C-alpha cells in the first residue's frame, strides 16, 4: 500500500501568483526513502509541507496512510524535522524529545522510558539534562530527529535537515539516519539540495524543476543496502550522481526553452 | 557558576566605586554651586542640596522630639507601601497577562482593544484615584486595597504590551511543529507561546515593579493613608523649607524599596527563565 499518494497536486501562492507546484503525481511505498531534489524555488519544501497538511494545495488530492492529509495530521501519522532543529530553549533535551508524547497524553514513566530509548537511538545518552544551547548543531539536529521519531510515526518528513551542518557532520548523520531508518522501518521523505546526499540516502530520487515546480524525473537508486562510507566510492554511486545531475540540468534546460517560447 | 565566587567581590567593589562617585558628584556640585553662588539651573543651598551625610544622619535621629528614629518610621512605612505595591503588582501582572492572552487570540480583538489599553495610561492616576477610593470605600473595602488597585492600574500596561509581543514572538516553525502534533489553540498557547513569552514578561515586570511603588506612593494621599511612604512624603513636604533632609531621606528609602523590588524580579527571572547565557540580561 502507498503511504503517500499525490494526484495532480498544484499549489499557487496568492501573492505574486507564483505557481509553486504543478501537476504533481507521486506514490510513495511503505519503507521507501524518497529524496526531493531541485533548484531553489522548485517547490520541494512546499511539496513536503502539503504532504504534512501544513500547506493546503490549490488543487489535486493527497492521500496519506489511506486517508486525507488533514486526517493523517490529526492522527499524528508523521514526524517532521526542519533545517533548523527548532528545539525549545526552555526545555531540556529529554523534555524536548518528550514534547509530542505529552501531546499524546502519555504518562510520566512511559515518556521517560521512551526518551531513554530515543537518546540511545540517536546516541545522545547522558545529555538528557542539557539545554539545547549547550549542544553542537549536529547534536541539536539529532535531538530534533529523536523528537520526530519518539511517537513512532510511520512517516518521517525531513526538510533539508542537515543543510546547516558542516560536511563531516552531515556525512556522519547520513549514515546514522540510514541506520535509524532501517531500525524503525519507517518511510522517509527527505528534501535536500545535495545530489550526493540524495543518491547516498535514497531508494528513489525525485528530481524537480522550478517555475512552475514539477517533477522532471524519477530515478531509482539501486545501490545495495546497508550503505556505508564505501558506498560513496562505488562506480554505480557515481553513475547515479551523474544521472541526477543531468536530470537537474535537463529540468533547467526545459525551463529555459519554455521561457524563450 | 564557579566564576560567581570571584565575581561577587568585584561587583561589591564596583558598587562602592559608583556610590563614591555619586557622592563626590553631589558634594562637588554643592561646593561649586555655593562657592560661585550659582543660580542656574537652581540655587544651591542647604535646602536644595543638603549634605549627604546630613541626609543619612537624619535617618538615625528622631523625626519628632522623643519619637522613634526616622529610620524606624520609614522602615514601617516601607513595609506598608511594599505590601500595597506587591499586591498591586501581582494584581496588575495577572490582569495584564490575562488581557494579553485574550487579545492575542484574534487580530480584530487586538486592533479593537489595544488602543483603549493605551488610552487608559493617558489618564493621570490622580484623576481616577478618588473614584476608586470612594467606589471601593462605599463597598466597605479597606482603604489600602484601593491603593493596590491604583498600583495595578499603572502596572498592567507594560505587562499587557510585552506579553502580547512575547506571545507573538514564537518561531513560526515551532508553531508548524505544534500543528504537526495536531495541537489545538490552547495547547499551542500553553506549551509554546507562553513559555516563549517569559523573557518578555520579565522585562515587563522589571518596569512594572518600581512602577507599582510609584503608583502606591501617589495613591496613598488620595486614600488618606498616613502609614505608608506616600503619607511620609506628604508629611515631610510640609517641613521641607526648614528640614529638607527628612524628605530627602524618605526619597532615599523609597528609591531603595524600588531597587529591592527590581532585584526581586531579577532573582525570580533567574529561577524561571532558562535561556542561552547570551539571552540572560
Amino acid at each position: 500500500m502507498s503511504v503517500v499518494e499525490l494526484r495532480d497536486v498544484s499549489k499557487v501562492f496568492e501573492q505574486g501568483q507564483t505557481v509553486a507546484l504543478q501537476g504533481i503525481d507521486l506514490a510513495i511505498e511503505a519503507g521507501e526513502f524518497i529524496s526531493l531534489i531541485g533548484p531553489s524555488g522548485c517547490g520541494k519544501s512546499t511539496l513536503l509541507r502539503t504532504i504534512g497538511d501544513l500547506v493546503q494545495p490549490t488543487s489535486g488530492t493527497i492521500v496519506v496512510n489511506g486517508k486525507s492529509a488533514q486526517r493523517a495530521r490529526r492522527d499524528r501519522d508523521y514526524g517532521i524535522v526542519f533545517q533548523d532543529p527548532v528545539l525549545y530553549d526552555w526545555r531540556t533535551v529529554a523534555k524536548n524529545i518528550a514534547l509530542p508524547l505529552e501531546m499524546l497524553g502519555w504518562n510520566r514513566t512511559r515518556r521517560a522510558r521512551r526518551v531513554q530509548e530515543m537518546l540511545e537511538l540517536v546516541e545522545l545518552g547522558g545529555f538528557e539534562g542539557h539545554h539545547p544551547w549547550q549542544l553542537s548543531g549536529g547534536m541539536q539536529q539529532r535531538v530534533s530527529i529523536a523528537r520526530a521519531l519518539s511517537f513512532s510515526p510511520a512517516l518521517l518528513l525531513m526538510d533539508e535537515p542537515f543543510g546547516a551542518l558542516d560536511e563531516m557532520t552531515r556525512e556522519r548523520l547520513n549514515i546514522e539516519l540510514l541506520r535509524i531508518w532501517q531500525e524503525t522501518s519507517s518511510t522517509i521523505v527527505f528534501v535536500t539540495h545535495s545530489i550526493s546526499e540524495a543518491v547516498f540516502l535514497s531508494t528513489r530520487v525525485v528530481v524537480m524543476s522550478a517555475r512552475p515546480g514539477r517533477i522532471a524525473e524519477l530515478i531509482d537508486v539501486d545501490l545495495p543496502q546497508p550503505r556505508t562510507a564505501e558506498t560513496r566510492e562505488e562506480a554505480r554511486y557515481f553513475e547515479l550522481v551523474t544521472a541526477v545531475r543531468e536530470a537537474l540540468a535537463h529540468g533547467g534546460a526545459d525551463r529555459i526553452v519554455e521561457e524563450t517560447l | 557558576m564557579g566564576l560567581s565566587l570571584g565575581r561577587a567581590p568585584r561587583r561589591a567593589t564596583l558598587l562602592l566605586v559608583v556610590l563614591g562617585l555619586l557622592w563626590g558628584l553631589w558634594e562637588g556640585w554643592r561646593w561649586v554651586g555655593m562657592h560661585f553662588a550659582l543660580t542656574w539651573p537652581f540655587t544651591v543651598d542647604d535646602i536644595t542640596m543638603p549634605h549627604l551625610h546630613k541626609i543619612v544622619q537624619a535617618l538615625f535621629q528622631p523625626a519628632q522630639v522623643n519619637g522613634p528614629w526616622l529610620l524606624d518610621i520609614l522602615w514601617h512605612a516601607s513595609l506598608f507601601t511594599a505590601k500595597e505595591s506587591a499586591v498591586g503588582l501581582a494584581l496588575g501582572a495577572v490582569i495584564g497577562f490575562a488581557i494579553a492572552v485574550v487579545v492575542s487570540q484574534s487580530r480584530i480583538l487586538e486592533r479593537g482593544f489595544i488602543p483603549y489599553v493605551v488610552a487608559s495610561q493617558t489618564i493621570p492616576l490622580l484623576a481616577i484615584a478618588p473614584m476608586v477610593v470612594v467606589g471601593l470605600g462605599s463597598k466597605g473595602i479597606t482603604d489600602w486595597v484601593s491603593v493596590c488597585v491604583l498600583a495595578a492600574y499603572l502596572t498592567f500596561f507594560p505587562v499587557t504590551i510585552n506579553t502580547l509581543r512575547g506571545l507573538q514572538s514564537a518561531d513560526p516553525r515551532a508553531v508548524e511543529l505544534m500543528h504537526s502534533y495536531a495541537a489545538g489553540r490552547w495547547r499551542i498557547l500553553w506549551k509554546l507561546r507562553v513559555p516563549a513569552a517569559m523573557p518578555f514578561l520579565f522585562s515587563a515586570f522589571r518596569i512594572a515593579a518600581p512602577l507599582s511603588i510609584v503608583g502606591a506612593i501617589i495613591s496613598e494621599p488620595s486614600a488618606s493613608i498616613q502609614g505608608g511612604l506616600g503619607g511620609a512624603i506628604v508629611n515631610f513636604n510640609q517641613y521641607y523649607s526648614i528640614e529638607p533632609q527628612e524628605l530627602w531621606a524618605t526619597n532615599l528609602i523609597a528609591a531603595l524599596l524600588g531597587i529591592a523590588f527590581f532585584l526581586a524580579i531579577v532573582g525570580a527571572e533567574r529561577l524561571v527563565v532558562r535561556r542561552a547565557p547570551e539571552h540572560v540580561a
Side-chain angles (χ1 to χ4, degrees):
Chain A
M1 189 193 82
S2 298
V3 176
V4 179
E5 216 177 319
L6 302 158
R7 265 179 254 123
D8 198 23
V9 169
S10 296
K11 174 69 188 176
V12 182
F13 282 110
E14 299 298 325
Q15 313 100 311
Q17 294 288 303
T18 324
V19 182
L21 296 172
Q22 196 178 60
I24 303 285
D25 286 297
L26 183 66
I28 300 170
E29 305 303 319
E32 271 198 286
F33 194 128
I34 296 277
S35 282
L36 307 177
I37 192 169
S40 312
C42 73
K44 52 193 189 296
S45 281
T46 307
L47 183 57
L48 191 84
R49 280 175 162 73
T50 55
I51 297 171
D53 189 46
L54 299 172
V55 167
Q56 308 309 317
T58 312
S59 64
T61 53
I62 300 167
V63 180
V64 179
N65 278 345
K67 45 199 159 183
S68 74
Q70 191 188 46
R71 188 70 251 160
R73 176 173 67 79
R74 296 232 171 112
D75 289 349
R76 300 172 176 102
D77 280 356
Y78 71 85
I80 193 162
V81 177
F82 299 101
Q83 176 168 0
D84 296 313
V86 197
L87 300 175
Y88 292 2
D89 266 359
W90 55 89
R91 283 175 172 248
T92 59
V93 166
K95 289 200 158 176
N96 265 291
I97 297 173
L99 178 70
L101 307 178
E102 286 173 28
M103 302 288 168
L104 286 163
W106 287 27
N107 67 37
R108 194 180 293 268
T109 36
R110 207 172 153 211
R111 289 205 302 259
R113 204 179 314 128
R114 176 54 64 87
V115 166
Q116 277 311 319
E117 288 169 23
M118 284 298 127
L119 286 165
E120 273 163 40
L121 183 71
V122 298
E123 289 168 357
L124 278 177
F127 286 96
E128 51 268 50
H130 284 62
H131 281 267
W133 72 79
Q134 297 168 313
L135 306 180
S136 70
M139 289 161 93
Q140 289 184 15
Q141 200 54 283
R142 295 211 308 252
V143 175
S144 161
I145 292 169
R147 179 182 59 191
L149 289 171
S150 64
F151 55 104
S152 319
L155 180 63
L156 188 58
L157 304 177
M158 306 184 89
D159 191 358
E160 292 186 49
F162 308 135
L165 303 175
D166 63 82
E167 193 68 21
M168 273 163 357
T169 311
R170 175 190 276 233
E171 289 194 356
R172 210 180 54 240
L173 286 181
N174 280 171
I175 289 176
E176 232 175 279
L177 179 61
L178 283 177
R179 175 180 60 78
I180 290 166
W181 169 60
Q182 284 181 327
E183 280 179 25
T184 57
S185 60
S186 46
T187 309
I188 296 181
V189 184
F190 189 97
V191 169
T192 181
H193 262 124
S194 159
I195 299 172
S196 56
E197 190 176 55
V199 171
F200 179 70
L201 291 174
S202 314
T203 54
R204 208 144 50 108
V205 176
V206 177
V207 179
M208 296 181 68
S209 63
R211 277 174 289 270
R214 57 170 81 169
I215 294 177
E217 215 170 316
L218 295 171
I219 296 173
D220 280 311
V221 180
D222 48 11
L223 292 167
Q225 303 282 359
R227 293 175 191 167
T228 61
E230 284 76 52
T231 306
R232 292 184 199 273
E233 288 155 19
E234 285 174 27
R236 183 66 188 138
Y237 169 78
F238 288 110
E239 281 171 30
L240 286 160
V241 166
T242 308
V244 172
R245 183 173 292 126
E246 278 172 0
L248 279 167
H250 198 244
D254 271 354
R255 185 168 60 90
I256 292 161
V257 172
E258 266 171 40
E259 274 169 3
T260 46
L261 283 173
Chain B
M1 289 299 115
L3 280 172
S4 61
L5 279 173
R7 227 184 260 164
R10 218 191 294 165
R11 279 201 172 179
T13 317
L14 184 69
L15 183 71
L16 285 178
V17 168
V18 171
L19 280 178
L21 277 175
L22 287 175
W23 179 82
L25 216 64
W26 176 280
E27 293 294 336
W29 182 267
R30 186 187 137 93
W31 185 85
V32 169
M34 285 172 79
H35 195 258
F36 297 102
L38 292 185
T39 54
W40 188 90
F42 57 88
T43 312
V44 177
D45 54 30
D46 279 331
I47 303 291
T48 54
M49 290 185 88
H51 276 298
L52 278 181
H53 61 85
K54 283 213 170 144
I55 295 172
V56 176
Q57 252 172 25
L59 287 169
F60 301 98
Q61 282 161 1
Q64 286 157 341
V65 189
N66 294 327
W69 279 1
L70 178 62
L71 183 66
D72 195 35
I73 296 170
L74 291 180
W75 168 250
H76 286 102
S78 297
L79 287 183
F80 190 81
T81 301
K83 177 182 71 178
E84 294 166 336
S85 309
V87 175
L89 177 61
L91 200 65
V94 169
I95 293 170
F97 181 80
I99 290 176
V101 166
V102 170
V103 161
S104 73
Q105 294 305 305
S106 112
R107 207 82 206 135
I108 298 170
L109 216 55
E110 188 189 332
R111 294 238 176 95
F113 198 70
I114 290 300
Y116 295 101
V117 171
V118 176
S120 77
Q121 298 303 300
T122 63
I123 305 168
L125 200 59
L126 281 175
I128 51 163
M131 303 176 207
V132 173
V133 172
V134 172
L136 289 181
S138 69
K139 299 242 177 339
I141 292 167
T142 337
D143 50 2
W144 67 268
V145 175
S146 41
V147 174
C148 299
V149 171
L150 290 163
Y153 185 80
L154 274 193
T155 52
F156 92 96
F157 179 70
V159 177
T160 296
I161 299 296
N162 270 27
T163 307
L164 201 53
R165 280 198 63 189
L167 292 174
Q168 290 159 349
S169 77
D171 186 337
R173 286 155 318 164
V175 178
E176 271 193 333
L177 190 70
M178 295 301 271
H179 283 306
S180 83
Y181 303 144
R185 193 175 270 260
W186 291 105
R187 273 284 178 80
I188 295 178
L189 185 69
W190 292 116
K191 296 271 183 198
L192 172 64
R193 292 197 188 274
V194 169
M198 287 320 265
F200 290 80
L201 209 59
F202 273 97
S203 25
F205 291 161
R206 285 177 184 214
I207 302 166
L211 214 54
S212 71
I213 294 167
V214 172
I217 287 175
I218 293 178
S219 308
E220 277 175 11
S222 304
S224 313
I225 287 174
Q226 308 276 319
L229 284 176
I233 286 171
V234 169
N235 184 23
F236 294 131
N237 256 336
Q238 297 163 9
Y239 304 104
Y240 185 68
S241 50
I242 316 158
E243 288 180 281
Q245 62 272 18
E246 288 180 348
L247 184 64
W248 276 107
T250 310
N251 293 346
L252 186 70
I253 296 296
L256 287 177
L257 184 61
I259 291 168
F261 263 53
F262 182 83
L263 291 179
I265 295 297
V266 172
E269 185 173 2
R270 291 245 166 98
L271 289 178
V272 173
V273 180
R274 300 309 311 260
R275 276 295 148 96
E278 63 265 26
H279 291 298
V280 179

